Amino acid sequence: MNKAISGFSKLSKEEKIKWIANQYFSTPTEAIALLKNYWNSDEKIQKLHDEFIENTITNFYIPLGVAPNFLINGKYSTIPMAIEESSVVAAAAKAAKFWSTRGGFKATVINTEKIGQVHFIYKGDVSKLNLFFAQHKSKFFSETESITTNMQKRGGGILDIILKDKTDLLPNYFQLHATFETKDSMGANFINSCLEQFSKTLKEEAHNYDLFTETEKEIEVVMSILSNYVPNCIVRAEVSCPIEELEEKHILNPKEFAEKFVQAVQIAEVEPYRAVTHNKGIMNGVDAVVLATGNDFRAVEAGIHAYASRNGKYSSLSNAKIENGIFTFWLEIPLALGTVGGLTSLHPLVKLSLEMLEKPSAKELMQFVAVAGLAQNFAALRSLTTTGIQEGHMKMHLNNIINQFEATDDERILIQKYFKKNTVSHSAVVNYIESLRK
């Protein structure tokens, strides 16, 4: 293709697919058939999915699995997880079962404060700007009442607004830094609507402020937007038990295991190369539940990784210790989640996932997500410090290799039997399949 297409968004779905197939595929008919094969047979459901985004041509499937036996704050739950990576759901379920007989998971929401900012340029006397803000602060609240009324009825709203001087970072750069409580909604639209009204109020009131010079009155709002960094919207999840209770099939010496486990976490605390992979394992659990419940996993990822760097160096999100013979493993992460609004009321499988979790509040969902992240991290570290990560992961990956080579039912039985006693690797599986077919 050597030229742009004009009016693509105005084409019908069929026309878009036909253009793509003819433009990029050597067998357009097969490409079209594949795309349509992933359409939902229920036209109403398909139309719903088509309208989630723009230029939709088909659905992209990700498996929705479940991890049962999560004992959280004394109550059992089954956690839905949407993810494509082998062994993640199995590992979470295994960790859940392990801790269900050792007191289970404890989860606590520490705070639920969210943040939005109006970024603006002011060229003038800073003392006059401070006085202006002090005199007009109440106006920012009163002029957003039409936006905040319903949220206030649910116990949320604007918590505070402060003026921040950022001129040490950029010339003439200031912020209106606002904090919000959005209850069971993630609150992005609510926060952004409030911020845009703040910017209007800021410009209008500054323009009419007698103490400002004509230059000072011309405040330039650069942008008004919520922040996905929510360091005061924190949830804690933890597990603990006496060291001797850690014993199981792969943990014959629980004291040695606990000490090695703590060392593995400490390495992730001080070594960024390890911390990134360590935290990626946590996010396997976090993202899978966030996605299954219709929340924004990109926002969650960005906020959590920023939090991992809050002390000036990227570090582990989880911690572990041994104290008075007790092994404790925990994490604290920022999570801005919602159980109302957005896809939570539109996507049929999101609604199903939330019902599976017994229709949680946003705070309860924060706990489920944090626990899933901790369980995933525990499972990974247990494997790394005992049998090694590849043994379990490659056995789970075996099915993917078998499917890649379209093994028959008879071949599948023989392959699985062979690799119960032999090390799984891609080359080993390929060689065995080729030997069978000879």
Side-chain angles (χ1 to χ4, degrees):
M1 182 180 176
N2 55 13
K3 65 177 182 178
I5 178 174
S6 178
F8 182 78
S9 64
K10 294 182 175 63
L11 298 178
S12 69
K13 183 178 175 182
E14 291 276 3
E15 289 170 334
K16 289 171 184 170
I17 289 172
K18 185 177 179 181
W19 180 83
I20 288 169
N22 289 324
Q23 191 71 42
Y24 294 106
F25 297 92
S26 57
T27 54
T29 303
E30 289 180 16
I32 292 170
L34 178 62
L35 290 172
K36 290 188 174 182
N37 197 39
Y38 280 83
W39 289 5
N40 198 294
S41 58
D42 185 320
E43 289 185 10
K44 186 177 179 182
I45 290 178
Q46 185 56 55
K47 185 174 186 295
L48 184 68
H49 282 68
D50 285 348
E51 293 176 354
F52 285 157
I53 60 169
E54 307 77 31
N55 295 338
T56 306
I57 56 173
T58 193
N59 306 312
F60 189 91
Y61 291 175
I62 290 179
L64 177 65
V66 295
N69 300 318
F70 270 96
L71 181 60
I72 305 171
N73 295 338
K75 181 181 177 182
Y76 278 99
S77 296
T78 296
I79 295 183
M81 304 178 76
I83 190 165
E84 84 299 338
E85 185 175 331
S86 301
S87 78
V88 169
V89 177
K94 192 173 181 181
K97 190 173 182 181
F98 179 92
W99 284 106
S100 68
T101 58
R102 296 166 174 83
F105 295 82
K106 306 292 186 296
T108 310
V109 174
I110 297 172
N111 207 338
T112 56
E113 179 183 286
K114 294 163 189 174
I115 292 167
Q117 298 165 319
V118 176
H119 305 269
F120 68 94
I121 303 299
Y122 167 78
K123 299 176 181 178
D125 187 332
V126 176
S127 64
K128 285 198 282 183
L129 181 63
N130 287 327
L131 180 61
F132 163 81
F133 178 72
Q135 291 175 347
H136 291 82
K137 183 174 178 176
S138 61
K139 194 94 173 177
F140 293 105
F141 286 91
S142 62
E143 301 228 333
T144 50
E145 282 180 357
S146 61
I147 303 169
T148 61
T149 299
N150 289 335
M151 184 64 75
Q152 287 174 338
K153 287 177 182 177
R154 301 201 300 270
I158 305 165
L159 300 177
D160 196 12
I161 311 166
I162 60 174
L163 173 67
K164 286 194 172 185
D165 184 339
K166 294 284 185 174
T167 53
D168 60 320
L169 302 175
L170 286 174
N172 309 312
Y173 171 39
F174 295 84
Q175 293 174 2
L176 293 183
H177 184 96
T179 50
F180 300 84
E181 170 59 63
T182 61
K183 304 308 287 183
D184 287 337
S185 68
M186 190 276 174
N189 289 332
F190 167 75
I191 292 172
N192 287 335
S193 295
C194 289
L195 296 173
E196 289 185 2
Q197 181 56 54
F198 290 167
S199 68
K200 291 177 185 176
T201 301
L202 174 66
K203 292 172 73 175
E204 288 171 2
E205 295 302 319
H207 192 73
N208 296 320
Y209 191 54
D210 291 338
L211 294 182
F212 280 160
T213 65
E214 290 304 310
T215 299
E216 290 168 336
K217 287 180 179 182
E218 297 305 317
I219 284 176
E220 178 191 349
V221 173
V222 179
M223 55 186 167
S224 306
I225 187 70
L226 89 163
S227 173
N228 290 129
Y229 185 42
V230 284
N232 292 323
C233 189
I234 301 293
V235 57
R236 177 187 173 100
E238 71 172 67
V239 288
S240 67
C241 70
I243 288 177
E244 59 270 18
E245 291 183 12
L246 292 169
E247 186 174 353
E248 57 140 19
K249 182 172 68 172
H250 294 299
I251 305 174
L252 300 178
N253 186 330
K255 183 175 183 293
E256 183 182 292
F257 166 77
E259 290 172 348
K260 196 172 181 182
F261 191 103
V262 170
Q263 287 174 335
V265 175
Q266 289 172 339
I267 289 170
E269 288 173 354
V270 301
E271 170 52 67
Y273 282 91
R274 171 59 198 145
V276 170
T277 310
H278 178 93
N279 290 344
K280 185 269 181 185
I282 293 172
M283 298 313 295
N284 278 345
V286 168
D287 283 348
V289 186
V290 170
L291 190 57
T293 56
N295 279 270
D296 186 345
F297 72 91
R298 285 95 33 196
V300 167
E301 281 269 356
I304 287 179
H305 290 303
Y307 189 74
S309 304
R310 66 193 181 281
N311 295 320
K313 180 180 179 181
Y314 191 87
S315 183
S316 168
L317 291 162
S318 60
N319 307 92
K321 66 178 181 179
I322 299 168
E323 202 169 77
N324 300 321
I326 303 295
F327 169 80
T328 305
F329 180 49
W330 75 98
L331 62 72
E332 291 182 6
I333 52 174
L335 286 172
L337 303 175
T339 55
V340 299
L343 284 186
T344 60
S345 58
L346 286 175
H347 198 300
L349 287 178
V350 168
K351 289 193 284 187
L352 181 142
S353 294
L354 290 170
E355 190 167 346
M356 189 187 306
L357 292 172
E358 301 184 65
K359 299 180 179 179
S361 66
K363 283 185 177 181
E364 289 167 336
L365 183 57
M366 288 170 70
Q367 294 174 359
F368 285 123
V369 171
V371 163
L374 187 69
Q376 198 63 39
N377 197 208
F378 176 79
L381 289 171
R382 179 175 59 178
S383 292
L384 282 167
T385 56
T386 54
T387 60
I389 201 72
Q390 284 302 89
E391 180 184 352
H393 181 76
M394 288 309 293
K395 282 186 177 179
M396 290 299 298
H397 190 52
L398 179 60
N399 279 338
N400 288 345
I401 304 171
I402 290 171
N403 289 333
Q404 180 184 346
F405 286 87
E406 299 180 347
T408 65
D409 291 342
D410 290 340
E411 287 175 335
R412 185 180 292 269
I413 291 168
L414 290 171
I415 294 165
Q416 289 174 336
K417 183 178 179 181
Y418 178 81
F419 283 102
K420 277 185 178 179
K421 296 180 180 179
N422 293 278
T423 301
V424 178
S425 70
H426 189 275
S427 59
V429 177
V430 171
N431 289 338
Y432 186 70
I433 291 172
E434 288 176 350
S435 70
L436 286 177
R437 292 176 177 176
K438 286 178 181 176

